[in-house]
Amino acid sequence: EWDFDKSLDCDLLQYEPHEKLQKYLHDLNALCSAEPAMFERDFTPEGFEWIDFRNSDAGVVSFIRKASDPDDFLVFVFNFTPLPRRDYIVGVPKKGVYREIINSDSASYWGSNVGNAGWAVSEERRSYQWPFSLRLTLPPLGMLAFKLEEPPITADVSEKRKKDIRP
């Protein structure tokens, strides 16, 4: 418990769980200052949009944080239960590869390392109002954040790649 008459227990950082919690908080702060979606539209309704807040039975909520650039957004998914959720479908606005930029259950943060191996590829499958979706593994009592990394591969690009790799 906080006691304003005493200094913080910084000596606790010698213990791995405390050190890893500090790393998690450091990485969360870095995310908030590095990603425009976390601060550019912070005080406007256009900076936030629900993906799904209705799944109270599963204990999962998801939303998007948006920057001024419409192509710059982050997808957040929270699992508020002690059970991992496998093959959980979350709608997303764009097709592509989504990089898992933070996973609160990562072993780096003293977690059990349940997640998506660092990325997920969108499927052409509608989920609520969203034209695409991600099939995710949600860690227990965890939070995931994703960022769209690659534009979708068009048929023209795919054919060109095939030609480039042929002998």
Side-chain angles (χ1 to χ4, degrees):
E1 185 173 328
W2 174 258
D3 183 350
F4 65 90
D5 288 327
K6 293 170 45 177
S7 65
L8 295 175
D9 296 327
C10 293
D11 60 315
L12 292 176
L13 292 176
Q14 67 182 315
Y15 303 108
E16 190 176 12
H18 295 276
E19 179 186 11
K20 290 189 173 189
L21 177 60
Q22 182 189 41
K23 178 175 176 24
Y24 177 60
L25 294 174
H26 173 271
D27 290 352
L28 279 176
N29 284 327
L31 176 76
C32 288
S33 61
E35 290 294 336
M38 295 302 292
F39 57 82
E40 281 186 351
R41 296 170 120 185
D42 205 22
F43 300 104
T44 66
E46 296 81 22
F48 176 92
E49 189 169 359
W50 285 108
I51 295 173
D52 183 13
F53 61 87
R54 298 172 198 89
N55 200 347
S56 59
D57 289 342
V60 176
V61 298
S62 52
F63 59 84
I64 295 175
R65 288 291 305 257
K66 301 175 183 179
S68 298
D69 175 354
D71 291 327
D72 190 1
F73 60 89
L74 300 175
V75 173
F76 287 87
V77 185
F78 293 80
N79 178 8
F80 292 107
T81 71
L83 305 171
R85 305 271 181 213
R86 304 207 189 281
D87 294 322
Y88 192 88
I89 303 297
V90 174
V92 291
K94 297 195 178 215
K95 182 177 182 178
V97 175
Y98 286 75
R99 184 169 51 98
E100 191 178 77
I101 58 175
I102 198 158
N103 176 348
S104 66
D105 196 53
S106 167
S108 299
Y109 308 134
W110 198 251
S112 60
N113 223 27
V114 173
N116 301 279
W119 58 276
V121 178
S122 64
E123 302 172 356
E124 291 193 39
R125 174 182 178 169
R126 289 195 68 79
S127 180
Y128 294 104
Q129 75 271 28
W130 306 100
F132 303 99
S133 59
L134 301 175
R135 183 178 302 273
L136 302 174
T137 298
L138 307 182
L141 300 171
M143 180 273 291
L144 301 171
F146 292 90
K147 183 172 180 80
L148 180 64
E149 286 294 312
E150 294 182 14
I153 297 173
T154 64
D156 294 341
V157 173
S158 294
E159 288 304 312
K160 182 178 181 331
R161 284 187 180 173
K162 287 179 190 174
K163 290 176 186 171
D164 289 343
I165 61 174
R166 288 186 186 142

